[in-house]
Amino acid sequence: MGHAKAAIIDEEYARMYGGKLILRFDDTNPEAERLEYWAAIKVGLDWLGVKYHMVKNTSDDMELLYKKCLELINGGFAYLCTCKQETVSANRREMKACKCSLGDLEQNLERWEKMFSKYKQGEVIVRFRGDMKSENTVMRDPVMCRIIEAKHPIHADKYRVWPSYDFSVAIEDSIDGVTHAFRTKEYELRNELYYAILDALKMRKPKVIEFSRLGFEGMPVSKRILRPLIEECKVSGYDDPRLPTLEALKRRGITPEAIRKFVLSLGFTKADTLAPFDTLESLNRKIVDADSIRLHMVRNPAKMKISGMPSAITLPNHPTKDIGTREIILDENLYIESEDIKNLKTGDELRLMGLGNVQITKTEPLEGKYAGEELKPQIPKVQWVVQKDAQKIKILIPSQLFIGEQFNEKSLEEIDVFVESYYSQLKEGKEIQFVRFGYCRKDSVLQAIYTHK
Ligand SMILES: [Zn+2]
């Protein structure tokens, strides 16, 4: 969802100003990259309907990035540091420069050359000459290039010296002709470095603009929090309906149109406010309502026997839109929700929705007689399912994943219910409104997922 916000805002701005949208994979950390991520991002953007004009990988420009790094070294803007990682960190904390930063060009060039052959991972880094005394910790001689021996998903073992995100993103934005780079706010401190690199190389500077990262109350979007939940099997995967991932939202029945409207309704805000999930739900409800077939579903079923019933009935699939009808073969044995018949007495009347009135003739076991279709506003209306026609399915009901900082162990409720057999004729992925319950998306023949009220 975090990516979705960025992509939608980027696309809208590009469209508004006649610009172009570049989909670029900053793939210069081979340890963190997998081809599945490329695929997942493309699938997600397609689903959202985000169109881009160009796709590229930062790793396509490795030779150019080396050239620019060497330019920094030659210009005295960067140096090679062979200090241990702990020393580098300690010096950063203590705002102290290391000996390497005093080395001459000859030493730097020699180390640069050895970086491609002799040095091992962790033995050398290229550091930008920032300011070890800067209040902005990002500026304390940050890493521009490092050795990573892992296999890259596209280039395999071809490269071992990899540019850092800070370095490559500045160069790439500049050479790709990016005019406006939108990033989430947690990168704000990195802007100083971004501009300093481009200044040192006398390259064109794009304008960087930040916006706040999208977050939902009780539903964290960061991978740092979500990944452990998956690894510890607290949720079933990235498409678990409790998660704010696109896969999960799709599975739950949230539409891409609603996500776009929602993101645009938040606008270009910088404030870190948590968005209420209900807003997304209510936008979604307006979109899915017209196409959602109305079906009967009964929880905690109670049996009821009714005499004098018509033999069949045709029900409309939607109260106002023409999305077809369905015929139900009736039978005297029905399921009704236990909740709905709790206080019934002999002589009471019930309205079976879409069918007609029933007068109770006996309560143990529950029996009644069909009493015609006349509308009587004062009698309770209930949904029902013919026992012979009933199909048992499971409904998953997701709720808030975290309560405060605590994982909510009860965040996924599962209920067994009876639905009309017409359910089995619907396509997977179809949105349904179970009457008097709420909207659900058909997940499989045996399972639906609760979307919202
Ligand atoms: Zn050093």
Side-chain angles (χ1 to χ4, degrees):
M1 192 68 184
H3 290 306
K5 180 181 173 188
I8 289 167
I9 288 186
D10 285 350
E11 190 195 33
E12 291 286 336
Y13 270 75
R15 193 181 4 243
M16 219 166 7
Y17 294 102
K20 288 195 165 88
L21 179 66
I22 303 173
L23 172 60
R24 192 180 68 222
F25 294 95
D26 286 315
D27 59 341
T28 59
N29 178 1
E31 280 174 335
E33 300 303 336
R34 287 196 210 139
L35 285 175
E36 298 99 270
Y37 300 161
W38 268 258
I41 288 172
K42 281 190 175 165
V43 167
L45 292 176
D46 281 350
W47 182 66
L48 288 170
V50 170
K51 295 196 177 53
Y52 34 88
H53 296 85
M54 178 185 160
V55 190
K56 72 175 289 195
N57 300 316
T58 300
S59 66
D60 297 339
D61 289 331
M62 289 296 283
E63 303 303 328
L64 174 90
L65 290 161
Y66 289 158
K67 203 180 124 219
K68 292 293 176 189
C69 189
L70 187 57
E71 223 177 296
L72 284 179
I73 297 166
N74 277 319
F77 297 110
Y79 61 92
L80 284 93
C81 169
T82 54
C83 296
K84 286 203 171 77
Q85 176 62 51
E86 305 91 81
T87 315
V88 172
S89 309
N91 285 346
R92 279 215 175 103
R93 274 196 306 275
E94 292 157 22
M95 300 178 159
K96 269 193 341 215
C98 70
K99 263 212 314 251
C100 316
S101 69
L102 304 171
D104 58 11
L105 181 59
E106 200 183 337
Q107 175 185 305
N108 284 321
L109 291 175
E110 194 193 310
R111 288 178 174 182
W112 171 249
E113 196 150 307
K114 276 164 67 185
M115 201 170 174
F116 292 83
S117 52
K118 295 211 176 60
Y119 284 120
K120 293 191 189 71
Q121 184 165 334
E123 288 182 347
V124 67
I125 48 176
V126 180
R127 296 176 72 177
F128 186 75
R129 214 182 283 284
D131 178 1
M132 290 305 283
K133 300 228 175 320
S134 174
E135 282 302 306
N136 182 357
T137 52
V138 172
M139 293 307 289
R140 296 182 196 162
D141 294 12
V143 178
M144 298 287 100
C145 280
R146 73 280 202 216
I147 297 173
I148 302 172
E149 303 273 13
K151 225 184 178 109
H152 189 276
I154 298 170
H155 304 287
D157 300 324
K158 191 174 172 193
Y159 305 109
R160 63 198 300 264
V161 175
W162 292 98
S164 65
Y165 171 80
D166 285 322
F167 178 54
S168 62
V169 84
I171 306 295
E172 290 286 293
D173 282 358
S174 184
I175 61 161
D176 287 344
V178 172
T179 54
H180 295 76
F182 297 162
R183 312 202 271 192
T184 46
K185 233 180 58 172
E186 65 266 32
Y187 290 99
E188 204 165 17
L189 288 176
R190 318 203 82 84
N191 292 354
E192 189 182 350
L193 174 59
Y194 180 97
Y195 291 127
I197 293 168
L198 294 176
D199 275 334
L201 292 167
K202 297 197 166 50
M203 291 175 75
R204 187 189 61 85
K205 286 182 283 183
K207 187 158 179 49
V208 182
I209 299 169
E210 302 80 30
F211 53 81
S212 65
R213 192 171 158 142
L214 178 63
F216 290 113
E217 176 81 44
M219 207 191 211
V221 294
S222 96
K223 264 189 258 173
R224 186 176 51 82
I225 299 173
L226 298 183
R227 196 174 292 147
L229 293 179
I230 291 168
E231 281 160 5
E232 293 159 25
C233 296
K234 287 188 163 170
V235 298
S236 60
Y238 280 106
D239 66 350
D240 187 288
R242 289 165 284 182
L243 300 185
T245 61
L246 294 184
E247 296 100 304
L249 293 170
K250 177 182 176 185
R251 198 168 156 220
R252 180 178 181 159
I254 302 291
T255 57
E257 297 84 348
I259 293 175
R260 182 176 290 260
K261 281 196 173 148
F262 177 67
V263 164
L264 296 177
S265 77
L266 298 174
F268 217 108
T269 47
K270 260 176 110 169
D272 268 324
T273 47
L274 289 177
F277 197 75
D278 328 11
T279 311
L280 177 59
E281 289 182 344
S282 75
L283 289 166
N284 196 63
R285 191 176 301 114
K286 281 183 202 137
I287 292 165
V288 297
D289 178 77
D291 300 321
S292 295
I293 175 167
R294 269 52 170 177
L295 282 189
H296 289 191
M297 178 275 279
V298 168
R299 289 170 286 182
N300 307 321
K303 289 179 174 171
M304 185 176 188
K305 194 170 180 170
I306 298 161
S307 59
M309 288 264 272
S311 59
I313 188 171
T314 300
L315 291 178
N317 289 339
H318 195 283
T320 53
K321 305 270 185 258
D322 182 16
I323 54 168
T325 58
R326 60 191 190 278
E327 191 184 42
I328 298 173
I329 305 298
L330 296 169
D331 173 290
E332 60 185 7
N333 297 302
L334 302 185
Y335 285 126
I336 313 261
E337 291 202 357
S338 307
E339 205 48 32
D340 287 334
I341 55 160
K342 251 193 205 156
N343 303 314
L344 283 183
K345 300 180 301 291
T346 304
D348 284 354
E349 276 190 302
L350 267 186
R351 175 83 183 178
L352 301 179
M353 295 174 78
L355 177 58
N357 307 325
V358 168
Q359 188 170 45
I360 307 302
T361 53
K362 202 170 160 196
T363 52
E364 297 275 339
L366 190 64
E367 287 180 14
K369 64 168 195 258
Y370 186 71
E373 287 180 57
E374 187 198 343
L375 283 173
K376 297 178 182 171
Q378 71 282 12
I379 65 174
K381 284 192 193 128
V382 303
Q383 78 281 22
W384 48 273
V385 175
V386 176
Q387 286 177 28
K388 270 190 189 158
D389 184 51
Q391 192 189 333
K392 197 171 180 183
I393 66 161
K394 202 183 274 302
I395 297 180
L396 304 183
I397 308 174
S399 59
Q400 210 162 296
L401 196 56
F402 280 82
I403 294 174
E405 298 287 299
Q406 207 64 41
F407 175 75
N408 177 10
E409 300 286 347
K410 291 181 181 141
S411 49
L412 191 68
E413 192 190 343
E414 292 188 16
I415 55 171
D416 290 315
V417 302
F418 283 120
V419 294
E420 301 174 41
S421 68
Y422 193 77
Y423 175 85
S424 61
Q425 294 178 37
L426 301 174
K427 277 204 202 111
E428 242 170 60
K430 191 93 184 107
E431 193 71 19
I432 301 153
Q433 189 193 33
F434 286 125
V435 176
R436 296 178 68 222
F437 178 69
Y439 294 86
C440 292
R441 181 180 182 272
K442 179 170 176 177
D443 193 45
S444 73
V445 102
L446 296 172
Q447 180 169 294
I449 298 175
Y450 180 69
T451 312
H452 42 60
K453 268 265 167 234

